[in-house]
Amino acid sequence: MHQLEPFVREAGTGPGVVCTHSNASNSGQWRGLMDLLAPAFRVFAPDSYDSGKSPAWPSDRVISLRDEVALIEPVLARAGSPLALVGHSYGAAVALIAALANPGRVRAMALYKPTLFALLDTETPPPNEAEGIRNAVANAGIALDAGNKDAAAEQFIDYWMGAGAWKHTPDQRKPPIAASVTNVRRWAHALFTEPTPLAAFRALNIPVLYMVGKRSTPSAHGVARLLANELPQVELVEFEDLGHMGPVTDPETVNNIIARFLARV
């Protein structure tokens, strides 16, 4: 397949940092962090497939996390080596797979709640801690099949942000989110079928800031339980009052922790 180029935001000069965003979001979620890091780092924030200004996934084949890594490979190359990776949710899962693909070029990682749900299914066959997101995806799929993007977005957003979150989302923000949630089955397939075994992450012998919003979901907490015990140099930071979307809902709180971590590793 011809190499496509993602849209990427860039700011600053210095050692490279690449930031990958969550589902139903885009690179714009990292604007505040980019401003914070730009005086000391060269920061890149790409849009993933079908997000922001990046191209659509061009294949009939169901996407994998490795495909997401391949899209941002030109960005990783521009960031130079060794670089730091910052990721949130799906983007944090992509960052982990990118690091394993070429661990020698990554010096540190800052991750907010990676969603590598395949690790939960490998540990314990369903039903397990991933049932909530599995059901949300199934219900969103039913809504999409009925032509109701709004209801699909409600299923997805309310799972991650709490009941009623979609209803309280400003009307002007809803259309791009609802459009992106049409890819919910694809996201779930990539996360639930990722073949990397848990033990493989022991190879990432680099400083890892693992951030947890205590108000997140059982699925995200379950992945954290597994990964935080496997990464050799993990630093766990728990935000008492934040949920899974902490980097979006409370960017200043999260970004300051990331900036301090990157400044000292």
Side-chain angles (χ1 to χ4, degrees):
M1 189 166 58
H2 175 68
Q3 173 66 54
L4 297 173
E5 293 276 345
F7 171 81
V8 58
R9 301 173 189 268
E10 180 180 348
T13 57
V17 178
V18 177
C19 306
T20 49
H21 62 82
S22 65
N23 290 138
S25 185
N26 58 58
S27 58
Q29 80 166 73
W30 296 119
R31 279 189 296 243
L33 180 63
M34 294 180 76
D35 291 342
L36 197 59
L37 297 180
F41 298 94
R42 188 181 181 196
V43 193
F44 300 85
D47 285 333
S48 63
Y49 279 116
D50 291 283
S51 299
K53 299 178 182 179
S54 274
W57 171 239
S59 174
D60 291 335
R61 177 176 55 79
V62 181
I63 202 167
S64 70
L65 293 180
R66 286 165 176 77
D67 295 317
E68 301 280 13
V69 172
L71 177 68
I72 65 170
E73 177 56 39
V75 181
L76 298 172
R78 285 174 60 193
S81 181
L83 57 82
L85 292 172
V86 176
H88 171 213
S89 192
Y90 186 85
V94 172
L96 280 164
I97 301 306
L100 282 178
N102 194 342
R105 71 175 171 190
V106 181
R107 67 178 182 88
M109 303 181 74
L111 308 173
Y112 193 104
K113 283 287 187 164
T115 48
L116 280 170
F117 302 131
L119 298 178
L120 296 175
D121 282 357
T122 299
E123 180 198 37
T124 305
N128 54 32
E129 291 161 294
E131 290 315 290
I133 184 59
R134 213 186 316 267
N135 291 336
V137 169
N139 291 334
I142 292 170
L144 289 172
D145 290 343
N148 194 337
K149 293 181 182 179
D150 188 84
E154 183 173 27
Q155 289 289 332
F156 187 74
I157 298 301
D158 281 13
Y159 172 75
W160 288 116
M161 301 186 70
W166 179 247
K167 285 185 172 63
H168 290 98
T169 300
D171 288 342
Q172 67 271 20
R173 291 181 54 200
K174 285 185 174 181
I177 296 173
S180 72
V181 171
T182 58
N183 299 305
V184 65
R185 287 175 170 134
R186 192 180 79 195
W187 301 334
H189 181 271
L191 294 169
F192 275 104
T193 63
E194 171 53 45
T196 304
L198 179 61
F201 295 100
R202 296 175 194 160
L204 295 178
N205 195 15
I206 55 174
V208 176
L209 174 67
Y210 200 120
M211 293 167 284
V212 174
K214 284 195 171 182
R215 296 186 179 181
S216 190
T217 62
S219 62
H221 286 315
V223 175
R225 172 178 55 80
L226 295 174
L227 276 175
N229 286 325
E230 208 70 23
L231 294 162
Q233 296 187 53
V234 70
E235 177 183 333
L236 188 64
V237 172
E238 297 182 308
F239 297 97
E240 191 71 34
D241 297 323
L242 299 191
H244 187 75
M245 298 305 291
V248 174
T249 60
D250 296 86
E252 186 173 340
T253 299
V254 175
N255 291 344
N256 284 332
I257 296 293
I258 296 173
R260 288 201 290 270
F261 169 75
L262 293 178
R264 61 180 167 80
V265 295

